[in-house]
Amino acid sequence: MPHAPPLGALLRQYAAGSALACDPVDQGLLNRGYRLRTTRGHYFLKHHFDPETAAPEAIARQHRATQRLAALGVPVAPPLPARDGRTVAVVGGHAYALHPWIEGRHRHGGQLTPGQCGRLGALLGVVHASLERVMPVQGWEGMVPPQGREGAEKGARAGGGARTGGSAPGSRGERPSGDRPATGTRAPGGPDGDAADAGADPAATFALIDDLLARVRRHRPADSFDELARHRLLERRALLEQHVGRRPPHGGPVGWVHGDFHPFNLLYRGDAPAAIVDWDRLGVQPRAEEAVRAAAIFFVRPAGTLDLPKVRAYARAYRRTAGATPSELAAAVHRVWWERLNDFWMLRWHYERGDTRADPQFPAASALVVWWTREYDAVCDAFVG
């Protein structure tokens, strides 16, 4: 088994019995997970290896956040403590965490009723409001870790199957001291450093479009993906030329956010959310932007449009539970639209890295920004109405 975890050394740190089987689950792009069966039950073993999120202190911060959220009744999946009380086990220089295994399934927005869409928006609002209660932000406004829409879409593509869950020892819900976000000043983006930017400079985007068009021309043998990529690049350049004066100002009110809220990081049991998982991108950033990014992933249709009635139900519930204003959502809609107008991470993966794993997403994602531009007022109204 590739990247097999050191089960003996790990399990000696936990009261979890002896290993009987350990199978990789569908692999995400940040970390690796395993379904672990022992003499004491089933567990989810997570190997944190992404350099931007795998520092033990960052993992411990994520764990404290989920423990505090669990104490407030938020459906999360805190880790299990080891014999020494710690939730991060470091073996051979690698960081691991052990969670109870729970059965569940992921649900895309197309599988949700309007009422369930409202419940989804309310859940994200509760997450943001609860994080505000249990995690300090003072002194860290504007400190944004590399995370956000690109990472969410990558994870949404890579996810699947049952995930971790259960509950862990709770802790008091007061605002503790000593928790700090991962620092940095880059705009939200993905796990690999090629961050998306909600305030992107169009001059840099024009240069990137020219470079990608040259790469498309050089690719041999040319195929249908090249044809679509060329069409979308030329189309995007024309859109950007038309809207170049609409670059947004800096983001709105910031707070702690999940950072990667999408269908494959939310488990359902029946019709009810059972656990929000994968808190690797926990950080401080504009909260309303996370709400908009999540909606653009949950509610995108295969043809590259958004299900606006479901977005409206989701956004109304989010505003109510998060205490967000319509103007805050409107500004976030504009920034995320601009971010998508200027972002080409899927094409960069394909042409710069030769990595085609995101190719199936490209048709809908590239069509969405065109439709969003055309239907800008309707999209904004769905989030604020």
Side-chain angles (χ1 to χ4, degrees), residues 137-152:
V137 173
Q138 291 87 345
W140 295 93
E141 292 83 354
M143 302 303 287
V144 181
Q147 57 190 19
R149 196 256 334 131
E150 177 187 342

Side-chain angles (χ1 to χ4, degrees), residues 3-23:
H3 311 293
L7 296 179
L10 278 169
L11 288 176
R12 282 194 292 272
Q13 300 188 37
Y14 292 89
S18 302
L20 298 175
C22 184
D23 301 308

Side-chain angles (χ1 to χ4, degrees), residues 158-178:
R163 300 295 299 276
T164 62
S167 56
S171 58
R172 297 189 304 273
E174 69 271 16
R175 293 168 69 105
S177 60

Side-chain angles (χ1 to χ4, degrees), residues 221-236:
D223 55 27
S224 59
F225 188 91
D226 297 326
E227 182 179 358
L228 178 61
R230 180 179 181 277
H231 169 72
R232 291 303 190 193
L233 285 164
L234 293 173
E235 179 181 55
R236 193 80 63 86

